[in-house]
Amino acid sequence: FESEQAMEDYTQFRDYGVHKPAIAAGIVFNSLSNESIDYTLRFNQSDVQDTTAPYVDRYGRSPTILMFGSFFDYINSGFLGWQNAIDQTFLRVLNYDTAVDLKIGIHVFPFPPYEDDLFWSVTGTLLPLMMLIAFSYPFVIIAKTIVEEKALRLKEGFRILGGSNTAYLLSYMVTSFVLFTISAAFLTWSLCANVYTKTNPLLMFVCLELFGACMISLAMMVGMCFDQPRLGALVAFLVFLLFFYIYSFVEEAPYEATKNSIC
């Protein structure tokens, strides 16, 4: 390739690896002189772990998991082999006698004592499902209640008595938000005391409150679109499932723009 950008453009097409041959590795020489060499090894992300920050998943990733999950990828993909070949060649050109006496091996950097917590590796997939089961019922109830009151024309009776549409909707939001605040406080106490012992309780409470506010708004929006309570409850549940599982369809997408657009 003429430049590193040309190589990146070549790999960005959707038919890369199908109609266009895939590249095993790329070597970019940034600078080269008689005293030093500066180069970059470019590998496919499916073969070698991404080296852009953050380098390490902070949640439950012990050095043992990192070694088996990423360290051996550098060996099996040939990354370290290319690096060793280039370095050895350059060193032998500079000073052959010294280079042949060097002892080169693969070693893991030492790290301080750590607490190996495998809890996150289990709950990382189960927790979203538990949240879905826990919050699907109140979500459906809020949407169904709105549809039932619409079918019974309670809103019209409220307006005949002098109430405004804003007060009617605001009463729903305040009532649901107060009930959800009590639930969020109880969840924060139970989770931070027994499960997520190192999580800031205030941060946990704020996250649950924001989730509750979004859930209430979405339930009210869904409830406004139907006139039959059973149909509204069914669609509300399907919408809740859709928004829960929609990210799983693009979780392995190769383009970050796709993931950001779904979020």
Side-chain angles (χ1 to χ4, degrees):
F1 296 95
E2 296 293 335
S3 63
E4 183 180 5
Q5 184 62 42
M7 181 180 65
E8 292 182 357
D9 295 338
Y10 178 85
T11 61
Q12 294 301 314
F13 288 96
R14 295 187 178 274
D15 58 349
Y16 171 70
V18 180
H19 300 291
K20 290 186 176 182
I23 301 174
I27 305 174
V28 181
F29 291 96
N30 302 316
S31 63
L32 181 64
S33 65
N34 295 330
E35 298 180 353
S36 64
I37 182 174
D38 182 13
Y39 65 94
T40 303
L41 293 177
R42 303 294 302 271
F43 276 73
N44 293 317
Q45 190 174 359
S46 57
D47 296 331
V48 180
Q49 293 290 326
D50 192 7
T51 55
T52 55
Y55 307 103
V56 178
D57 184 358
R58 302 177 181 178
Y59 305 104
R61 297 300 298 274
S62 68
T64 304
I65 299 177
L66 288 174
M67 185 169 61
F68 284 97
S70 60
F71 175 70
F72 286 107
D73 289 342
Y74 285 92
I75 301 176
N76 299 329
S77 64
F79 183 94
L80 295 180
W82 276 105
Q83 184 181 14
N84 180 57
I86 296 174
D87 292 346
Q88 287 278 25
T89 302
F90 184 74
L91 289 174
R92 295 190 181 194
V93 170
L94 290 180
N95 193 328
Y96 179 85
D97 296 332
T98 303
V100 295
D101 294 333
L102 293 176
K103 295 182 180 180
I104 300 177
I106 299 175
H107 306 281
V108 180
F109 278 102
F111 46 82
Y114 65 94
E115 183 178 348
D116 192 0
D117 186 10
L118 299 178
F119 178 76
W120 178 255
S121 61
V122 178
T123 59
T125 55
L126 291 179
L127 182 62
L129 181 60
M130 294 169 59
M131 294 284 288
L132 171 66
I133 297 173
F135 292 107
S136 60
Y137 180 75
F139 181 83
V140 172
I141 290 300
I142 294 174
K144 183 181 178 181
T145 303
I146 293 177
V147 178
E148 286 180 342
E149 293 197 359
K150 185 194 298 185
L152 296 175
R153 298 185 179 276
L154 296 180
K155 181 180 178 181
E156 283 74 6
F158 177 77
R159 298 189 65 177
I160 291 174
L161 296 176
S164 63
N165 190 39
T166 303
Y168 177 79
L169 296 177
L170 188 62
S171 64
Y172 256 110
M173 295 188 65
V174 172
T175 303
S176 302
F177 190 76
V178 169
L179 294 176
F180 201 92
T181 300
I182 298 174
S183 301
F186 176 76
L187 283 173
T188 301
W189 171 78
S190 59
L191 291 176
C192 293
N194 303 299
V195 183
Y196 302 105
T197 55
K198 296 184 179 181
T199 301
N200 189 336
L202 179 60
L203 180 62
M204 174 73 73
F205 179 76
V206 171
C207 291
L208 292 174
E209 280 285 85
L210 293 177
F211 177 76
C214 295
M215 189 185 71
I216 293 170
S217 302
L218 181 60
M220 294 181 66
M221 183 180 68
V222 173
M224 295 293 180
C225 300
F226 299 92
D227 295 325
Q228 299 180 5
R230 291 185 179 180
L231 179 60
L234 177 61
V235 174
F237 181 72
L238 294 177
V239 169
F240 197 73
L241 284 177
L242 175 63
F243 277 93
F244 176 78
Y245 285 109
I246 191 172
Y247 184 74
S248 61
F249 297 111
V250 296
E251 187 175 3
E252 301 298 331
Y255 302 101
E256 292 295 331
T258 305
K259 299 179 181 180
N260 294 334
S261 61
I262 293 298
C263 291

